[in-house]
Amino acid sequence: MQTLLFLTIALPLAGAVVLLLGGKATNAWGHLLGCATVISAFACGVGLFTHLLGLPAEERSVHEVLFSWVPVGALKVDFGLQLDALSMCFVLLITGVGALIHIYSVGYMKTDPGRRRFFAYLNLFIAAMLLLVLADNYLGLYLGWEGVGLASYLLIGFWSHKPSAATAAKKAFVVNRVGDMGLAIALMVLFATVGSVTYSTVFTAVPAMTNGALTAVGLLLLLGACGKSAQVPLQSWLGDAMEGPTPVSALIHAATMVTAGVYLIVRSGPVFTAAPAAQTAVVTVGAVTLLFGAIIGCAKDDIKKALAASTMSQIGYMVLAAGLGPAGYAVAILHLLTHGFFKAGLFLGAGSVMHAMDDETDMRRYGGLRTLLPITFVTFGLGYLAIIGVPPFAGFFSKDAIIETALNTGGLTGLLLGGAALLGAGITAFYMTRVMLLTFFGQKRWKPNTHPHESPHVMTLPMIVLAVGSVGAGALLAIGNTLQHWLEPVVGHHEAAHVYPAWITTTTALGVVAIGVAVAVRMYLGRPVNQVASEWVSPVTAAARHDLYGDAFNEAAFMRSGQALSRALVTIERRGIDGAIEAIATAVGLTSTAVRRAQNGFARSYALSIFVGATLVVAMLVMVRL
């Protein structure tokens, strides 16, 4: 089993190395190697899953130490891998959905001259994410964390000849560095207080840590999670990241990057459970972000950016659930897994629509595509039903569980969190119905010389598989608390509270979803669609079109204040430090000038100086005698 564990990471990493170093010699078959390595990694994951299933629940863990990594003074860190119930979920998601996205990319990137390099970056992305979830310590997680950041930069900016893509890649990289600093400092605090960054040692030491240290670590870990998972206030990079090829969007949003923050919070559950202030911060961030992303999604005409806002909102649901502690860890992972299916399917469906519409992304120029793209319409539609939470589709089980868990927190807190989750569900139903209607229904609004056509089988087959997951994954994982029991060895056993009967929560949620769908149908079905955005809109719509001024806030609060601080430091350096040095130099220069004038080379001047000096010495001696 240790060999399979190692190969799960090594295979896609080796694929990336071969494709990057092989150069043009691998162009002809590079895409095939890229797919083969990830499919093989998925096969290894299935083998590991089968092995864990055969073990008693308390023994479902595989651990392997590859070598001594950091033997420096008191810091001893092994390069170790750990597979347990939690990381197993991510391994199957990353490699399974990742393999489907690789296969889809064969058709999507068929004519791109950089296809081999694209598959190398995809392989690197998969390998880094697998390392992140399989490391047995925070330092190994950090290595994978930074690898994911690098791969995302390379993939978002893959078409770097477009200024918008290059800018989006730099933006994602810079924003994520802010979160990464939080994670790095958290590791330093852990080493200073615990003397280790290994999970087992840290979690064992949690009861002995001070509340201040636990809170600091929790908040710093949350900062790291906000960066990778695009949560408020580090959410601004996600919409711009749509400049990359569509398979990149699917991989980032469904199986890799944005799920890393949720994994970090759930993996660090013992820390957050022991730090109520940090846990409250997690819940607050999740609740704010799920509404933040949903509101933005209502005003986006770019199909990929609408789906990106949706991801921000759905990850907010997961973070909200994870912030509820042991009661929410399992449901957070449940929604993460179901989201992996329907969000990947939605993005690949969006790519199929773009493929048919000559890379057009504006939904105002779509319409009436359901008859011309029947497979895309059905698979996208199943993903739509899953994300808005219609039973028996996958999203119904996971989102309903989060709403129920939030409401069952009890008191005013439960009402606020549950209310936010319910409101988010209604808004999600509205903007996703808008996406469906603008894309597949209504009148044809295509550009001249556009001839929509269904995508090739290499693209539609992965969409069909993901659609199947969008339909059945929720029931498979939720009924009988299957996933909850699977995760118990990691997140612990928790008996759910029932402040409100389950049927009331479910009925209320479905009612809110129905209202959202009805409002969208009334506004968009059978009505003309302006192909140019109206200049006169409500303040809320204007704010949503500008991503609720997230960039403006960051610019005002951080960039401009940072520039002002930099200018102040430059002034202090120039007028203070440099000024003092220049003053000393000037004083030395003036003194030298005066001394130089006294040494003029004339004997009479020196004789006079000797006479004056001798006179002063004699006068002093006389005064001393008297």
Side-chain angles (χ1 to χ4, degrees), residues 265-342:
I265 295 172
V266 175
R267 174 61 75 187
S268 305
V271 174
F272 286 99
T273 302
Q279 203 168 43
T280 300
V282 174
V283 170
T284 303
V285 166
V288 170
T289 307
L290 75 87
L291 293 175
F292 198 96
I295 293 170
I296 291 174
C298 295
K300 293 299 180 183
D301 296 315
D302 184 306
I303 187 171
K304 289 175 65 177
K305 290 191 175 183
L307 294 178
S310 167
T311 297
M312 188 192 309
S313 180
Q314 297 305 307
I315 298 294
Y317 273 100
M318 301 172 206
V319 172
L320 168 62
L324 297 174
Y329 292 144
V331 293
I333 300 302
L334 173 62
H335 195 53
L336 187 149
L337 296 176
T338 59
H339 177 266
F341 284 102
F342 59 70

Side-chain angles (χ1 to χ4, degrees), residues 340-357:
F341 284 102
F342 59 70
K343 182 51 61 69
L346 288 169
F347 265 111
L348 296 189
S352 180
V353 171
M354 291 167 58
H355 179 270
M357 299 296 290

Side-chain angles (χ1 to χ4, degrees), residues 262-584:
V262 181
Y263 171 79
L264 177 63
I265 295 172
V266 175
R267 174 61 75 187
S268 305
V271 174
F272 286 99
T273 302
Q279 203 168 43
T280 300
V282 174
V283 170
T284 303
V285 166
V288 170
T289 307
L290 75 87
L291 293 175
F292 198 96
I295 293 170
I296 291 174
C298 295
K300 293 299 180 183
D301 296 315
D302 184 306
I303 187 171
K304 289 175 65 177
K305 290 191 175 183
L307 294 178
S310 167
T311 297
M312 188 192 309
S313 180
Q314 297 305 307
I315 298 294
Y317 273 100
M318 301 172 206
V319 172
L320 168 62
L324 297 174
Y329 292 144
V331 293
I333 300 302
L334 173 62
H335 195 53
L336 187 149
L337 296 176
T338 59
H339 177 266
F341 284 102
F342 59 70
K343 182 51 61 69
L346 288 169
F347 265 111
L348 296 189
S352 180
V353 171
M354 291 167 58
H355 179 270
M357 299 296 290
D358 299 330
D359 291 327
E360 176 63 65
T361 61
D362 193 334
M363 294 183 291
R364 294 170 298 183
R365 296 182 174 88
Y366 290 165
L369 293 176
R370 67 185 185 280
T371 56
L372 298 172
L373 310 177
I375 298 177
T376 300
F377 169 63
V378 172
T379 56
F380 194 98
L382 293 175
Y384 154 74
L385 293 172
I387 194 173
I388 69 173
V390 172
F393 299 94
F396 163 74
F397 294 95
S398 55
K399 190 181 293 184
D400 190 71
I402 293 174
I403 295 172
E404 183 177 351
T405 304
L407 285 171
N408 286 332
T409 303
L412 180 60
T413 300
L415 288 175
L416 288 174
L417 297 178
L422 283 169
L423 179 59
I427 300 175
T428 300
F430 169 79
Y431 70 76
M432 286 305 304
T433 302
R434 174 177 178 266
V435 170
M436 281 293 297
L437 295 178
L438 290 179
T439 303
F440 296 103
F441 294 85
Q443 297 298 315
K444 302 172 182 178
R445 304 180 298 275
W446 314 330
K447 291 180 179 178
N449 300 321
T450 299
H451 304 287
H453 54 281
E454 187 60 271
S455 298
H457 293 315
V458 72
M459 294 172 64
T460 56
L461 286 176
M463 292 160 55
I464 292 170
V465 175
L466 291 168
V468 172
S470 299
V471 174
L476 180 66
L477 296 171
I479 292 179
N481 294 323
T482 303
L483 182 64
Q484 183 175 342
H485 293 319
W486 170 259
L487 291 173
E488 278 182 3
V490 180
V491 303
H493 177 73
H494 181 80
E495 291 293 338
H498 292 286
V499 177
Y500 303 96
W503 68 270
I504 291 180
T505 303
T506 301
T507 303
T508 304
L510 291 177
V512 170
V513 168
I515 292 172
V517 172
V519 172
V521 169
R522 180 177 178 81
M523 291 180 63
Y524 294 101
L525 185 62
R527 297 195 176 190
V529 176
N530 294 327
Q531 295 196 23
V532 178
S534 174
E535 295 182 2
W536 300 99
V537 294
S538 68
V540 175
T541 302
R545 285 181 179 175
H546 291 86
D547 297 338
L548 297 182
Y549 303 113
D551 284 335
F553 173 80
N554 289 338
E555 182 177 336
F558 301 110
M559 189 193 81
R560 297 199 180 280
S561 59
Q563 289 176 333
L565 177 61
S566 298
R567 285 193 294 267
L569 292 174
V570 168
T571 301
I572 292 171
E573 181 180 2
R574 288 179 176 174
R575 298 183 181 179
I577 300 174
D578 288 352
I581 295 173
E582 289 173 0
I584 294 172

